[in-house]
């Protein structure tokens, strides 16, 4: 049905694009200038003329909008009476306007680099920071499979997110899973340092743990260790790290 509607109402698609395609046929598109000149040269005997310009604005990909931002855009959409799903105007946003916070949005601010550096200390992960980064790369194919499975799961949005838990990048998902498996720091403290809520970090750690099974026997040995009383404060965490570093120094001397 939707394709029939397109054919009936979308006059631009088959009156403009088909003519542009005809103009481009067999033309080597060696530069933007050649492309624009070829498109602009499109003419028909019934008076169709085409104007083309190069849009040099940057449009970053991969940006995730919060629910509040999406709703703010929707409020600025003015739809025409004639097929408003195609014909609409989006008014510019007032830069002084403050977006309302969405209590369900748990994405959180960027995780500070110094926090990541602290939580990837060998005393906590059981591996050097270089080995941890190699682990993150090794598990990337697993992340892609998991992400596709999450996108197809019921009750999730188009990006596979479970509403209320936001997103966490692959690197910190793996880190949360390792820290949770080894119990070398409480997730409450780790979440506090990362600027996330404890249940959010716990959720992502649980989703990432199955990937650790594909990391090889070396990681399996690392995960055998499990601390009985993990540090619950930043001061206690620093003492654990200091004790680990002192033991390394004494063994090497």
């Amino acid at each position: 049905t939707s394709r029939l509607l397109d054919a009936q109402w979308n006059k631009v698609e088959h009156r403009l694009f088909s003519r542009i395609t005809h103009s481009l046929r067999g033309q080597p598109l060696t530069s933007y200038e050649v492309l624009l000149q070829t498109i602009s040269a499109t003419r028909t005997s019934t008076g169709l003329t085409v104007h083309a310009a190069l849009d040099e604005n940057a449009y970053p990909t991969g940006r995730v909008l919060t629910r509040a931002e999406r709703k703010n855009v929707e409020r600025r959409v003015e739809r025409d009476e004639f097929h408003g799903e195609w014909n609409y105007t989006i008014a510019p946003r007032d830069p002084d306007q403050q977006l309302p916070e969405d209590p369900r949005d748990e994405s959180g601010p960027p995780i500070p680099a110094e926090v990541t550096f602290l939580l990837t200390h060998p005393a906590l992960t059981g591996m050097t920071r270089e080995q941890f980064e190699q682990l993150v790369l090794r598990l990337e194919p697993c992340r892609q499979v998991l992400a596709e499975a999450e996108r197809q799961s019921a009750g999730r949005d188009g990006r596979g997110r479970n509403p209320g838990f936001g997103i966490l990048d692959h690197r910190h998902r793996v880190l949360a899973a390792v820290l949770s498996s080894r119990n070398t720091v409480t997730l409450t403290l780790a979440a506090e340092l990362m600027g996330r809520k404890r249940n959010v970090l716990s959720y992502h750690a649980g989703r990432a743990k199955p990937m650790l099974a594909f990391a090889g026997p070396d990681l399996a040995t690392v995960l055998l260790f499990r601390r009985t009383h993990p540090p619950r404060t930043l001061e206690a965490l620093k003492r654990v790290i200091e004790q680990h570093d002192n033991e390394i120094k004494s063994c090497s001397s």
Side-chain angles (χ1 to χ4, degrees):
T1 302
S2 61
R3 296 184 69 85
L4 291 176
L5 287 174
D6 286 344
Q8 182 178 0
W9 294 111
N10 195 345
K11 305 300 184 182
V12 172
E13 183 172 340
H14 57 253
R15 293 185 63 185
L16 174 62
F17 296 154
S18 61
R19 295 296 181 178
I20 292 176
T21 301
H22 188 271
S23 299
L24 295 175
R25 186 174 58 184
Q27 173 67 44
L29 304 177
T30 56
S31 66
Y32 286 126
E33 183 179 0
V34 171
L35 175 62
L36 294 175
Q37 290 177 351
T38 305
I39 293 176
S40 299
T42 302
R43 299 285 188 277
T44 67
S45 59
T46 56
L48 173 70
T49 59
V50 179
H51 301 277
L54 180 62
D55 185 355
E56 296 185 301
N57 293 322
Y59 298 96
T61 61
R63 184 182 172 215
V64 179
L65 294 180
T66 65
R67 291 183 180 85
E69 288 175 321
R70 289 197 296 270
K71 289 180 179 178
N72 183 267
V73 172
E74 291 171 0
R75 283 194 293 266
R76 293 185 281 114
V77 174
E78 300 177 6
R79 299 188 181 277
D80 292 355
E81 294 182 4
F82 182 77
H83 279 276
E85 70 273 22
W86 295 330
N87 305 311
Y88 53 84
T89 301
I90 302 180
R93 182 179 71 85
D94 182 356
D96 296 328
Q97 180 185 13
Q98 295 294 324
L99 295 177
E101 293 186 2
D102 189 334
R104 297 174 300 174
D105 182 43
E106 305 289 352
S107 299
I111 298 174
E114 58 269 22
V115 170
T116 303
F117 185 81
L118 175 67
L119 294 178
T120 54
H121 191 281
L124 307 179
T125 64
M127 61 192 89
T128 65
R129 291 188 174 91
E130 182 181 358
Q131 290 172 331
F132 173 75
E133 295 301 332
Q134 292 174 351
L135 172 65
V136 172
L137 292 175
R138 196 182 314 146
L139 295 179
E140 173 62 22
C142 299
R143 181 203 65 81
Q144 296 176 2
V145 173
L146 178 61
E148 181 61 30
E150 290 179 338
R151 275 192 290 270
Q152 298 176 4
S153 299
R156 299 175 185 274
D157 63 14
R159 294 186 178 89
R161 298 178 300 178
N162 191 339
F165 291 97
I167 59 174
L168 190 67
D169 63 274
H170 172 59
R171 186 185 186 203
H172 289 95
R173 259 190 164 192
V174 173
L175 177 58
V178 171
L179 295 177
S180 177
S181 297
R182 288 172 53 84
N183 198 37
T184 45
V185 60
T186 64
L187 284 183
T188 300
L189 176 58
E192 179 183 343
L193 294 173
M194 289 186 186
R196 300 298 189 270
K197 291 185 178 180
R198 198 264 184 205
N199 65 324
V200 171
L201 196 61
S202 177
Y203 168 80
H204 286 291
R207 298 298 298 174
K209 275 186 180 181
M211 294 192 299
L212 301 182
F214 299 93
D218 292 341
L219 181 63
T221 303
V222 168
L223 297 180
L224 284 176
F225 175 86
R226 185 170 176 82
R227 185 176 290 276
T228 306
H229 302 291
R232 299 178 180 274
T233 65
L234 180 58
E235 292 72 20
L237 177 62
K238 290 180 178 180
R239 286 197 297 270
V240 168
I241 291 176
E242 183 180 2
Q243 180 182 358
H244 175 274
D245 290 344
N246 290 336
E247 290 176 354
I248 296 297
K249 290 178 182 179
S250 62
C251 290
S252 59
S253 60

